Amino acid sequence: METSSVNTTTPIKVTAATEDHSIRFHQYHLDDMARIRTRKFCEIEEAEVRAEEIGKGYEVSKDTIVAISDEDPAGLPLTTAKAIEIVAFVPYSEIDPIRIGEGYYLEPDGLI
């Protein structure tokens, strides 16, 4: 018996299956109720850094960081950025509950 595989692409959208109802708190200074903010701080210069002085980078090793510009990610071939490959379906009973994080629905998006 011969089996064949058919590859098709169906546009989908991902919708959250759950809602986050957790309460989020902010930190305030007790003396004057001013909001406490996170400051950007350079470890080498031991000084606060302005937003325009901050870049992005990928840490290759503890001592090596490769600078990444805002344009660089657009040119990367990220096959998973807009597509997923479904390899198999398994019964729910075979999934360890510890592996289940947030749930999502996959819905058709556009004409098939």
Side-chain angles (χ1 to χ4, degrees):
M1 179 173 157
E2 190 174 315
T3 62
S4 64
S5 171
V6 177
N7 290 330
T8 60
T9 301
T10 302
I12 63 165
K13 62 181 174 181
V14 179
T15 305
T18 59
E19 294 181 24
D20 183 6
H21 294 286
S22 60
I23 298 172
R24 303 201 191 278
F25 295 100
H26 297 288
Q27 293 180 330
Y28 285 88
H29 185 215
L30 293 174
D31 289 346
D32 55 17
M33 296 306 289
R35 177 99 183 259
I36 303 299
R37 302 286 181 178
T38 303
R39 295 185 178 217
K40 306 294 182 179
F41 196 79
C42 175
E43 295 174 344
I44 294 174
E45 297 176 4
E46 295 186 0
E48 195 170 330
V49 180
R50 296 185 320 256
E52 57 270 11
E53 296 178 276
I54 298 173
K56 296 176 189 165
Y58 177 76
E59 188 173 327
V60 177
S61 67
K62 186 176 179 180
D63 299 325
T64 306
I65 297 175
V66 177
I68 305 293
S69 72
D70 288 338
E71 294 79 29
D72 288 336
L76 295 176
L78 300 175
T79 57
T80 58
K82 295 184 180 180
I84 61 170
E85 182 179 348
I86 298 174
V87 178
F89 292 93
V90 296
Y92 182 76
S93 59
E94 291 184 22
I95 302 172
D96 184 351
I98 200 76
R99 300 279 182 206
I100 299 175
E102 297 180 20
Y104 297 93
Y105 295 113
L106 301 180
E107 304 175 76
D109 188 21
L111 298 174
I112 298 176

